[in-house]
Amino acid sequence: MPSKPLEGAPAPVDGALPDAALTEVGTRPFGVYVHVPYCAARCGYCDFNTYTPAELGAGGQGGAASFVDSVATEARLARSVLGERGLTVSTVFVGGGTPTLLPAADLAKVLRVLDDTFGLAGDAEVTTEANPESVDRETLEQLRASGYTRISFGMQSARPHVLAALDRRHTPGRVPEVVGWARSAGFRQLSLDLIYGAPGESESDWAASLDTVIELVPDHVSAYALTVEEGTKLSRRVRRGELLEPDDDLLADRYLQADEALAAAGLTNYEVSNWARDQSSWCRHNMGYWRGDDWWGLGPGAHSHVGGVRWWNVRHPTEYATRVGAGHSPAAGREVLDAQARRVERVMLGVRLVEGLGLDALGEQALDVAAELAADGLIVADVLAQGRVALTRRGRLLTDTVVRALLPD
């Protein structure tokens, strides 16, 4: 089942935000995340807030049939909370789960709701995630025609036995097929997601996955190390000794292998786990997270951040639908970040970016630490001399170490 919910202070039933947070609305880009919590089956490594048809049961509130109506209700609540501040949506990211289990008409309706409620910027980046087996040519054409500008396919691997170890349902040949359809449909921004370190994956397996990605010429690639999350099928198999937990040194080798291959193919690392053909292909929505912008998360379990206030929705689709149907905020809890907490987050996230982090975010004590990190080859000395902290390739492997050093207790 999905991982445990967060703890926090109770959230107001009407979703109201403190005046201090509202005064910041409109001073930064504003994005909307839509969490679609449905999957045809649960992958063995996944602890996301997702539900299969068997877990939800037939009919009733919380099902896919009424999902968009519930999201529309929450969007209107968001508009009411934020007030009439001339706010427009600069990025939309529909994630999950498997958003493309919803009919293309429903995903199109989500965009119409957001445009009617807030207004979409003329150059809005609009992304949906998709599993290769969950779309066909017609679906992709409908999504592009309705306003989606970017699509992210969960490829994960090009090797059948690795896909099987991850409980993925598509075959390797499906990915080139859907990429071709997406290009024909008019998608010019296309991302492929990979996972490395799966049980049974060899160095040559990972090389084959990277070769396949490079041959497909995506604009963007995300590559994440497999993590064994408590409560998943994978964690149970590891605990029983059926599978070996990924080794940190092996994962580091896989990361370096990816970075070298993708760089040689013209894809530059711009965030620790993300590569793009050029800056125009950076995921603007995710950049909003890493830069500390504002966003409202719609849907079960979705997270939001506005003006230093962070909150998260109830996780189960039925409870979510019940709350918004009653005119209440679906927020399960929230936290108001003080200045120190916001500074810590700025350092933790900003240091992951190729653009680096301004030294103004660090205390005086950390300036000497930064110089030591540069001497150790973890941050770029030339960039530090220009007043910013940016990770070297080796530093990316030790991001947590760098952050801990820059944020002493």
Side-chain angles (χ1 to χ4, degrees), residues 368-405:
D368 291 336
V369 173
E372 294 173 3
L373 292 169
D376 290 340
L378 298 180
I379 64 176
V380 184
D382 290 347
V383 176
L384 181 62
Q386 298 169 18
R388 301 188 70 79
V389 174
L391 298 172
T392 63
R393 178 183 283 178
R394 178 167 169 261
R396 282 184 255 148
L397 293 173
L398 298 168
T399 302
D400 291 345
T401 299
V402 173
V403 169
R404 283 194 298 269

Side-chain angles (χ1 to χ4, degrees), residues 306-320:
V306 172
V309 181
R310 186 186 315 285
W311 68 96
W312 45 93
N313 286 350
V314 293
R315 297 167 62 80
H316 199 279
T318 299
E319 185 179 4
Y320 170 79

Side-chain angles (χ1 to χ4, degrees), residues 281-304:
S281 297
W282 292 5
C283 179
R284 286 166 47 199
H285 186 84
N286 286 343
M287 287 297 294
Y289 297 153
W290 297 319
R291 287 173 171 165
D293 292 340
D294 292 335
W295 72 90
W296 195 293
L298 303 171
H303 287 229
S304 303

Side-chain angles (χ1 to χ4, degrees), residues 21 26 55 57 73 110 115 155 161 205 250 262 295 310 312:
E55 290 168 342
T73 301
V110 168
D115 198 20
M155 173 180 166
H161 68 278
D205 290 331
L250 181 144
L262 294 173
W295 72 90
R310 186 186 315 285
W312 45 93

Side-chain angles (χ1 to χ4, degrees), residues 2-329:
S3 57
K4 295 180 181 178
L6 297 175
E7 295 181 0
V13 173
D14 61 0
L17 292 171
D19 289 342
L22 292 175
T23 61
E24 296 188 30
V25 172
T27 63
R28 293 180 290 273
F30 179 69
V32 173
Y33 173 74
V34 182
H35 185 70
V36 181
Y38 311 113
C39 279
R42 184 177 300 284
C43 298
Y45 61 90
C46 180
D47 77 332
F48 292 172
N49 186 48
T50 63
Y51 303 83
T52 66
E55 290 168 342
L56 285 177
Q61 282 189 307
S66 60
F67 175 78
V68 175
D69 291 337
S70 295
V71 163
T73 301
E74 188 187 359
R76 290 190 290 270
L77 171 71
R79 175 78 275 182
S80 175
V81 168
L82 296 175
E84 299 300 325
R85 287 178 165 79
L87 198 62
T88 57
V89 176
S90 59
T91 64
V92 179
F93 197 105
V94 184
T98 308
T100 43
L101 283 184
L102 296 178
D106 281 2
L107 293 174
K109 184 177 178 181
V110 168
L111 295 192
R112 291 198 301 274
V113 164
L114 295 179
D115 198 20
D116 291 345
T117 307
F118 291 102
L120 293 176
D123 64 345
E125 174 196 85
V126 183
T127 304
T128 184
E129 293 180 330
N131 283 342
E133 77 280 5
S134 68
V135 293
D136 55 23
R137 185 190 297 273
E138 183 180 2
T139 297
L140 292 167
E141 290 173 349
Q142 291 172 339
L143 290 173
R144 182 67 190 95
S146 68
Y148 285 84
T149 65
R150 186 174 181 277
I151 192 158
S152 179
F153 288 117
M155 173 180 166
Q156 316 313 1
S157 176
R159 292 297 206 199
H161 68 278
V162 177
L163 292 172
L166 295 171
D167 291 323
R168 300 293 292 182
R169 306 185 77 188
H170 67 273
T171 60
R174 181 69 172 179
V175 176
E177 188 172 37
V178 297
V179 166
W181 291 341
R183 292 295 194 202
S184 296
F187 281 98
R188 295 292 173 260
Q189 296 292 321
L190 189 149
S191 180
L192 296 175
D193 290 356
L194 294 170
I195 290 177
Y196 55 90
E201 179 190 65
S202 67
E203 180 180 344
S204 61
D205 290 331
W206 181 228
S209 293
L210 293 169
D211 288 345
T212 299
V213 164
I214 290 166
E215 289 169 3
L216 294 174
V217 198
D219 310 278
H220 187 281
V221 175
S222 299
Y224 301 101
L226 179 67
T227 55
V228 180
E229 302 290 356
E230 190 60 36
T232 61
K233 176 183 175 182
L234 177 62
S235 72
R236 292 190 292 273
R237 296 189 68 190
V238 168
R239 192 166 55 247
R240 291 194 298 263
E242 298 173 11
L243 299 172
L244 293 177
E245 189 163 4
D247 175 77
D248 287 343
D249 289 337
L250 181 144
L251 293 177
D253 289 343
R254 295 284 188 271
Y255 180 87
L256 294 175
Q257 188 179 352
D259 193 49
E260 291 169 3
L262 294 173
L267 290 153
T268 303
N269 181 267
Y270 73 97
E271 190 275 343
V272 170
S273 299
N274 290 274
W275 291 258
R277 191 129 335 250
D278 51 44
Q279 188 168 343
S280 68
S281 297
W282 292 5
C283 179
R284 286 166 47 199
H285 186 84
N286 286 343
M287 287 297 294
Y289 297 153
W290 297 319
R291 287 173 171 165
D293 292 340
D294 292 335
W295 72 90
W296 195 293
L298 303 171
H303 287 229
S304 303
H305 170 266
V306 172
V309 181
R310 186 186 315 285
W311 68 96
W312 45 93
N313 286 350
V314 293
R315 297 167 62 80
H316 199 279
T318 299
E319 185 179 4
Y320 170 79
T322 299
R323 288 203 186 191
V324 298
H328 299 158
S329 166

